[in-house]
């Protein structure tokens, strides 16, 4: 059997939200035996492994072929977040290098007086965000509101919209749009 049985079992058990004690109870294996298997200190027999996997439940074949490792980058340093904004509006895009992004998650900074432009913008999807620092005036269709720290928004981006920093200090917010936009 593969040297990775213990790590795979631990990852699968964690993914399914099952504690070691609960899994041991479900499959009739002692907690200490399960712990040793997950640490790769003991290699289970095929029948023992099947008994454990039946309690999850997952088949032995699926257990060995299931993707449990992420091949995409997961963590990003500040210098790995490209600025896709322009001028006094900074959009740091998280996960820009992910090939099949399903969303656009950004850390946005608007200098005092900065805005997304005179023209309202619209695109297919949804957008949500929360203000971290400063304040931002958001116009969505005919509705306009100034949001401050801790306040948030969520709207259908088919509706024309515009963002403008009406404060005297930079505004920082986090936002997410779907579907992922190519910038």
């Amino acid at each position: 059997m593969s040297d990775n049985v213990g790590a795979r079992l631990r990852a699968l058990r964690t993914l399914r939200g099952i504690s070691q004690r609960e899994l041991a109870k479900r499959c009739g294996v002692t907690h200490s035996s399960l712990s040793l298997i997950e640490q790769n200190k003991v290699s289970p027999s095929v029948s023992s492994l099947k008994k454990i996997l039946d309690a999850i439940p997952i088949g032995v074949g699926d257990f060995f072929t299931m993707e449990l490792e992420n091949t995409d980058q997961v963590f990003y340093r500040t210098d790995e977040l490209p600025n896709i904004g322009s001028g006094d509006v900074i959009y740091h895009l998280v996960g820009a290098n992910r090939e099949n992004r399903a969303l656009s998650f950004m850390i946005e900074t608007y200098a005092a007086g900065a805005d997304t432009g005179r023209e309202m913008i619209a695109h297919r999807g949804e957008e949500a965000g929360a203000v971290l620092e400063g304040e931002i005036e958001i116009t969505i269709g005919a509705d306009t509101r100034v949001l401050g720290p801790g306040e948030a928004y969520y709207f259908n981006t088919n509706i024309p919209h515009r963002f403008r920093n009406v404060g005297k200090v930079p505004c920082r917010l986090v936002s997410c749009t779907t579907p992922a936009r190519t910038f």
Side-chain angles (χ1 to χ4, degrees):
M1 245 182 256
S2 168
D3 292 339
N4 251 354
V5 170
R8 289 184 74 73
L9 182 58
R10 181 176 47 253
L12 178 61
R13 179 183 55 73
T14 304
L15 181 69
R16 297 285 175 91
I18 305 169
S19 70
Q20 261 187 359
R21 288 191 188 284
E22 174 63 24
L23 183 55
K25 190 167 113 181
R26 284 186 193 180
C27 66
V29 172
T30 66
H31 175 251
S32 60
S33 294
L34 192 56
S35 177
L36 291 171
I37 292 169
E38 287 190 1
Q39 294 173 51
N40 284 317
K41 291 183 177 176
V42 171
S43 185
S45 66
V46 174
S47 62
S48 293
L49 180 60
K50 182 172 179 352
K51 189 174 167 182
I52 294 166
L53 296 177
D54 285 347
I56 289 182
I58 187 171
V60 176
D62 290 337
F63 173 73
F64 284 107
T65 58
M66 185 175 168
E67 282 294 322
L68 292 173
E69 292 182 26
N70 188 2
T71 56
D72 290 320
Q73 182 177 355
V74 176
F75 303 105
Y76 296 85
R77 295 184 317 271
T78 304
D79 64 348
E80 293 177 310
L81 304 176
N83 177 10
I84 56 171
S86 63
D88 290 338
V89 178
I90 299 168
Y91 297 146
H92 283 119
L93 180 61
V94 178
N97 61 341
R98 293 179 75 99
E99 212 172 290
N100 297 312
R101 265 186 312 113
L103 55 87
S104 295
F105 182 79
M106 296 182 287
I107 302 168
E108 303 182 27
T109 305
Y110 294 81
D115 62 36
T116 55
R118 285 187 206 184
E119 298 293 317
M120 303 272 276
I121 53 178
H123 48 90
R124 183 176 61 90
E126 295 182 318
E127 181 169 341
V131 178
L132 302 174
E133 303 169 352
E135 54 188 15
I136 192 89
E137 177 188 83
I138 304 175
T139 301
I140 302 165
D143 295 327
T144 299
R145 183 157 174 194
V146 175
L147 300 179
E151 295 183 300
Y153 60 90
Y154 190 120
F155 65 97
N156 180 326
T157 56
N158 292 328
I159 302 169
H161 53 281
R162 178 178 184 234
F163 291 69
R164 184 169 67 113
N165 182 347
V166 293
K168 298 187 185 322
V169 298
C171 175
R172 285 183 36 125
L173 58 97
V174 292
S175 71
C176 183
T177 61
T178 63
R181 296 178 55 205
T182 52
F183 298 93

